[in-house]
Amino acid sequence: FSYKLNAFDEDNDTLFYLFDGILQNYTNVLTGLIKFVPAENLTGIHLVNSTVVDIKSGADSKQFYIEIK
């Protein structure tokens, strides 16, 4: 699984991409690129919370689900 989360900052500030849940350790915090190969025991539907933060503490969050078959 590979996916790039994209975000834009109106002030052109540096952005940091943060994830919790199943993708927490598989994301590049500077680019938003997720690279994830799930283990066989992770089948099912998983909720992921994503947050993009700029260096001036602006933030936006989204939730999405990943289904692993």
Side-chain angles (χ1 to χ4, degrees), residues 24-59:
Q24 183 174 8
N25 297 318
Y26 299 95
T27 305
N28 183 316
V29 297
L30 297 176
T31 66
L33 180 63
I34 303 164
K35 288 188 177 182
F36 176 66
V37 178
E40 289 183 20
N41 65 339
L42 294 177
T43 58
I45 298 173
H46 302 271
L47 176 64
V48 176
N49 293 303
S50 64
T51 303
V52 180
V53 180
D54 71 21
I55 59 174
K56 295 179 183 170
S57 300

